Amino acid sequence: MARPVRFNIHPKQPDIHDNVAIADMPEGSMGEGFFATSFEKVVTLARKNSLWPLPFATSCCGIEFMATMASTYDLARFGSERLGFTPRQCDLLMVMGTIAKKMGPVLKQVYLQMAEPRWVMAVGACASSGGIFDTYSVLQGIDQIIPVDVYVPGCPPRPEAIIDGVIRIQELVENESLRRRNSEHYTKLLGSYNIQ
């Protein structure tokens, strides 16, 4: 016996504003045929909405990141669709998983090969604090060798937590001054990690 098929006799007409989120315009002056704002606001708007992540995944947090990139959670909605596997083309280093002390110099080299401005996100308990591996061979947090901007807790963190971390990075990028990277404070921070 065939199942009855029901049709929606009053379909709702889709509206583009229900499905698309448009970034807010930066502050500025607007007139007939022109819009003027500061160069810094335009650059931060572009950087915020076009992050290029470099996944540095060594264990189970990498699998959660794969789920975050897949169609259910779709990290591309946040402007992070283009994954790069070369540090010279990326600006967001996402360290996911256990980092052994032998891997520390490799991670630092990857960080140094990234062009400024660059941001770092420690995803999961292992990258943030060593996790359950309180042993002589595991780095107890990647902030011992490179500066970290955002920590994402969890073992492993859910895809929603990784998306929240990306949103926090976007907020940091949006509120960061273009001159911060040349400041004395930033130079001292890199100097504390022996980075010139």
Side-chain angles (χ1 to χ4, degrees):
M1 180 168 154
R3 285 190 263 158
V5 178
R6 294 183 181 166
F7 296 99
N8 187 357
I9 58 173
H10 301 293
K12 180 182 174 188
Q13 294 299 320
D15 184 12
I16 193 165
H17 298 292
D18 294 338
N19 301 320
V20 176
I22 299 173
D24 294 330
M25 286 185 359
E27 296 174 9
S29 300
M30 190 168 21
E32 189 175 331
F34 77 92
F35 178 76
T37 187
S38 69
F39 178 70
E40 184 170 321
K41 290 179 182 168
V42 171
V43 169
T44 56
L45 181 69
R47 283 180 180 168
K48 169 191 170 187
N49 294 304
S50 62
L51 292 171
W52 285 12
L54 168 65
F56 194 94
T58 59
S59 52
C60 48
C61 289
I63 305 301
E64 291 296 322
F65 178 69
M66 290 176 204
T68 307
M69 288 299 299
S71 59
T72 303
Y73 294 97
D74 193 20
L75 193 63
R77 296 176 293 152
F78 302 95
S80 300
E81 183 163 16
R82 191 229 179 251
L83 288 181
F85 294 98
T86 172
R88 289 176 176 86
Q89 297 176 355
C90 297
D91 53 8
L92 172 60
L93 178 61
M94 298 177 73
V95 182
M96 299 167 271
T98 311
I99 303 297
K101 287 186 180 173
K102 278 186 167 182
M103 186 65 75
V106 175
L107 178 62
K108 187 169 185 176
Q109 182 180 8
V110 168
Y111 175 78
L112 292 174
Q113 288 175 350
M114 295 172 69
E116 287 281 359
R118 57 192 172 204
W119 298 275
V120 177
M121 188 162 73
V123 179
C126 291
S128 299
S129 64
I132 60 171
F133 304 106
D134 189 10
T135 64
Y136 69 93
S137 61
V138 173
L139 199 63
Q140 300 300 302
I142 63 168
D143 55 1
Q144 294 181 357
I145 54 170
I146 58 174
V148 176
D149 296 299
V150 171
Y151 297 90
V152 177
C155 184
R158 298 249 328 127
E160 294 92 349
I162 297 174
I163 288 173
D164 184 60
V166 171
I167 291 171
R168 303 269 182 221
I169 289 281
Q170 286 181 324
E171 290 171 358
L172 182 83
V173 172
E174 184 179 26
N175 297 322
E176 183 178 80
S177 167
L178 292 180
R179 293 167 189 79
R180 175 185 169 250
R181 303 285 166 163
N182 300 325
S183 69
E184 185 180 332
H185 174 73
Y186 189 70
T187 307
K188 282 183 182 177
L189 174 69
L190 291 182
S192 67
Y193 287 97
N194 293 325
I195 297 172
Q196 308 311 330

